[in-house]
């Protein structure tokens, strides 16, 4: 398969070698280990003179197919696939950081990533300094002599803010930092951070990549020399993706572009509807002209994604009532599913934070996050309308 093929073609036609059965669709290699022809084959395999499968904690044909696809879709050299998005985040940091290193990150990161920075990395004397989404001018002032990694997610969760990847890429280059981007909300279809200077890209494949709420998975891709470190750490510590989940996720990638196209189309309609509703104060969707970082979103994203955030008039109580009235939209911690989902962070996922801490990440009392699914938009909008009414 040539490098020049389009996204859709790569997502479908990147496939492991056919077996002697000449199967059309990729088979599932549900095996924990692989056999050797003789002692010499085994020796050469373990010394990495041969590139071949040894044990599924290291590599497996299904996980390799999934990784190869993500590499092609992200423009990356190499990668490693994980059981979850969080194991990808943790293993990547653990592989690349030494005791005493320092991280600069955007404050608006996934909740468990925030816990990693504030509760667990400090055990190894690794500290993190945060910048806020609207204070990117401060980033350089946070960099210290021991800073090694610059980290961010864009669009952010749950406030759907946008960070300028080109700007982050330039800062990382100037200060010789590794730029690592969690590209989960955009998927490789909408945004390729490597083009803007990212060294590594992380995905939770649990979200839009699976897209149907079935399996957990994660992946880290990027520069081959860095992935080598990440791979050696991971093959010894054991966070590998199961071959079954890899098979599901590789199949899911075949339809990623058509699913995400429709997700984005639906989300834009939902955002436009919400913007016109009298009980809605503010709508945040990257491809709405009213989004504060609309121009940056247009520069780095193909479409706006499937997450819409809005501010319901009436604060916490109005948010809670809105959730209770929903009939079609589900209350769930997942996102990027075929089924539309609504959350009200101030009364649920972020209720333990103080109001000041919530506002730091853009969570106002009335903020509602909708993961727009693939149901008919008339049905999604009519449910939102009756719940807002
Ligand atoms: C869900 C998510 C993760 C963690 O992924 P899991 O597969 O749930 O471990 C990391 N980053 C972002 C942005 C996410 O949305």
């Amino acid at each position: 398969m040539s490098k020049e093929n389009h996204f859709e073609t790569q997502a479908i036609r990147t496939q492991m070698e056919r077996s002697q059965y000449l199967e059309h669709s990729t088979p599932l290699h549900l095996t924990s280990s692989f056999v050797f022809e003789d002692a010499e084959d085994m020796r050469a395999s373990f010394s990495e003179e041969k590139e071949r499968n040894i044990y599924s904690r290291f590599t497996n044909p299904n996980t390799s197919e999934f990784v190869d696809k993500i590499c092609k879709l992200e423009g990356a050299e190499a990668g490693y696939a994980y059981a979850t998005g969080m194991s990808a985040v943790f293993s990547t940091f653990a592989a690349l950081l030494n005791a005493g290193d320092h991280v600069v990150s955007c404050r608006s990161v996934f909740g468990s990533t925030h816990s990693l920075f504030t509760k667990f990395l400090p055990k190894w004397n690794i500290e993190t300094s945060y910048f806020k989404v609207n204070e990117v001018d401060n980033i350089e002032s946070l960099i210290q002599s021991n800073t090694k990694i610059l980290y961010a997610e864009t669009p952010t969760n749950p406030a759907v803010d946008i960070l300028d990847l080109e700007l982050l890429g330039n800062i990382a280059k100037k200060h010789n930092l590794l730029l690592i981007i969690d590209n989960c909300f955009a998927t490789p279809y909408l945004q390729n951070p490597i083009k803007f200077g990212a060294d590594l890209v992380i995905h939770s494949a649990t979200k839009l990549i699976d897209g149907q709420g079935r399996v957990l998975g994660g992946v880290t891709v990027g520069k081959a020399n860095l992935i080598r470190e990440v791979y050696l750490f991971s093959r010894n510590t054991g966070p590998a993706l199961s071959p079954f989940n890899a098979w599901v996720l590789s199949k899911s990638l075949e339809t990623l572009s058509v699913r995400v196209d429709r997700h984005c189309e639906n989300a834009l309609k939902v955002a436009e509807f919400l913007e016109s509703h009298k009980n809605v104060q503010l709508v945040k969707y990257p491809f709405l002209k009213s989004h504060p970082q609309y121009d940056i979103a247009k520069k780095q994203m193909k479409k706006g994604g499937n997450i819409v955030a809005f501010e319901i008039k009436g604060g916490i109580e109005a948010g809670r009532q809105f959730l209770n009235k929903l009939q079609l939209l589900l209350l769930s911690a997942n996102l990027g599913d075929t089924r539309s989902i609504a959350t009200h962070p101030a009364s649920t996922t972020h209720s333990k934070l103080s109001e000041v801490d919530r506002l730091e990440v853009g969570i106002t009392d009335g903020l509602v996050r909708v993961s727009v699914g693939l149901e008919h938009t008339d049905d999604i909008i009519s449910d939102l309308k009756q719940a807002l009414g």
Side-chain angles (χ1 to χ4, degrees):
M1 187 79 27
S2 94
K3 257 201 156 117
E4 284 67 52
N5 271 319
H6 292 93
F7 185 98
E8 291 78 356
T9 312
Q10 301 276 30
I12 294 168
R13 301 299 287 272
T14 304
Q15 192 167 333
M16 71 176 74
E17 238 176 275
R18 291 208 161 82
S19 77
Q20 79 261 37
Y21 299 115
L22 299 181
E23 65 281 345
H24 184 201
S25 173
T26 290
L28 172 57
H29 292 275
L30 209 51
T31 178
S32 43
S33 66
F34 299 83
V35 294
F36 303 94
E37 280 156 28
D38 51 31
E40 170 53 21
D41 181 31
M42 194 164 183
R43 184 204 62 77
S45 302
F46 271 90
S47 70
E48 298 193 6
E49 285 163 36
K50 281 185 179 176
E51 200 180 305
R52 58 110 84 214
N53 295 302
I54 297 174
Y55 192 60
S56 290
R57 169 150 49 78
F58 307 179
T59 60
N60 168 284
N62 291 108
T63 50
S64 298
E65 180 183 291
F66 173 64
V67 169
D68 287 351
K69 252 187 214 185
I70 296 283
C71 285
K72 286 192 176 144
L73 304 181
E74 283 287 9
E77 294 167 1
Y80 186 84
Y82 292 93
T84 65
M86 277 323 298
S87 54
V89 173
F90 172 69
S91 302
T92 303
F93 278 96
L96 298 173
L97 290 171
N98 292 315
D101 282 345
H102 176 247
V103 176
V104 172
S105 170
C106 181
R107 172 61 189 90
S108 301
V109 287
F110 187 68
S112 296
T113 305
H114 170 63
S115 298
L116 178 65
F117 289 152
T118 53
K119 294 199 175 91
F120 301 110
L121 291 184
K123 295 207 307 186
W124 296 286
N125 194 22
I126 296 165
E127 300 294 332
T128 300
S129 300
Y130 280 135
F131 62 90
K132 292 188 212 160
V133 275
N134 56 354
E135 291 177 353
V136 287
D137 294 343
N138 283 353
I139 297 175
E140 292 195 86
S141 70
L142 300 173
I143 297 171
Q144 310 172 1
S145 58
N146 59 341
T147 306
K148 184 141 184 217
I149 288 174
L150 178 60
Y151 187 78
E153 297 171 11
T154 179
T156 64
N157 179 31
V160 201
D161 287 303
I162 301 290
L163 286 159
D164 188 338
L165 289 171
E166 189 181 5
L167 177 114
L168 297 179
N170 289 340
I171 294 173
K173 200 167 174 192
K174 181 173 161 197
H175 295 273
N176 203 19
L177 308 179
L178 299 176
L179 177 62
I180 305 183
I181 300 294
D182 180 334
N183 201 26
C184 172
F185 272 40
T187 80
Y189 180 58
L190 299 179
Q191 174 174 280
N192 294 134
I194 289 172
K195 274 192 209 150
F196 298 96
D199 297 285
L200 293 172
V201 173
I202 296 178
H203 283 282
S204 165
T206 313
K207 313 295 168 56
L208 283 160
I209 289 180
D210 172 64
Q212 291 145 88
R214 300 166 297 184
V215 302
L216 297 161
V219 65
T220 301
V221 299
K223 295 210 170 105
N225 62 326
L226 299 172
I227 290 295
R228 175 77 186 154
E229 299 297 312
V230 169
Y231 165 73
L232 289 176
F233 177 83
S234 304
R235 81 175 231 175
N236 284 297
T237 53
L241 179 64
S242 117
F244 178 77
N245 287 4
W247 177 82
V248 170
L249 292 169
S250 185
K251 286 269 143 216
S252 306
L253 285 174
E254 295 185 13
T255 57
L256 184 73
S257 64
V258 282
R259 287 186 289 107
V260 172
D261 273 340
R262 182 64 73 84
H263 273 293
C264 294
E265 198 183 299
N266 289 1
L268 185 59
K269 282 187 196 156
V270 165
E272 283 167 353
F273 158 74
L274 290 168
E275 213 166 35
S276 71
H277 198 285
K278 65 178 187 337
N279 291 340
V280 172
Q281 212 153 31
L282 173 85
V283 182
K284 290 259 281 298
Y285 183 69
F287 270 38
L288 277 185
K289 287 217 174 69
S290 56
H291 192 287
Q293 296 100 24
Y294 172 78
D295 292 332
I296 302 170
K298 279 274 179 179
K299 176 177 73 170
Q300 65 196 29
M301 296 177 77
K302 188 175 171 140
K303 294 183 180 180
N306 84 313
I307 309 291
V308 180
F310 67 97
E311 178 71 26
I312 193 165
K313 285 184 190 163
I316 295 226
E317 201 37 48
R320 222 198 306 264
Q321 279 178 17
F322 169 79
L323 283 196
N324 284 333
K325 279 198 206 151
L326 289 169
Q327 287 166 4
L328 181 74
L329 273 73
L330 298 162
L331 313 185
S332 168
N334 195 23
L335 59 91
D337 194 291
T338 47
R339 286 156 280 256
S340 293
I341 296 163
T343 56
H344 176 237
S347 73
T348 58
T349 46
H350 295 68
S351 62
K352 284 195 212 93
L353 294 185
S354 70
E355 196 180 340
V356 176
D357 288 345
R358 281 205 301 269
L359 287 175
E360 289 236 307
V361 281
I363 300 173
T364 45
D365 285 348
L367 184 86
V368 174
R369 184 193 78 186
V370 178
S371 167
V372 180
L374 299 180
E375 304 95 337
H376 198 288
T377 39
D378 290 353
D379 297 331
I380 301 170
I381 288 172
S382 89
D383 194 34
L384 290 169
K385 194 184 274 176
Q386 66 78 21
L388 282 167

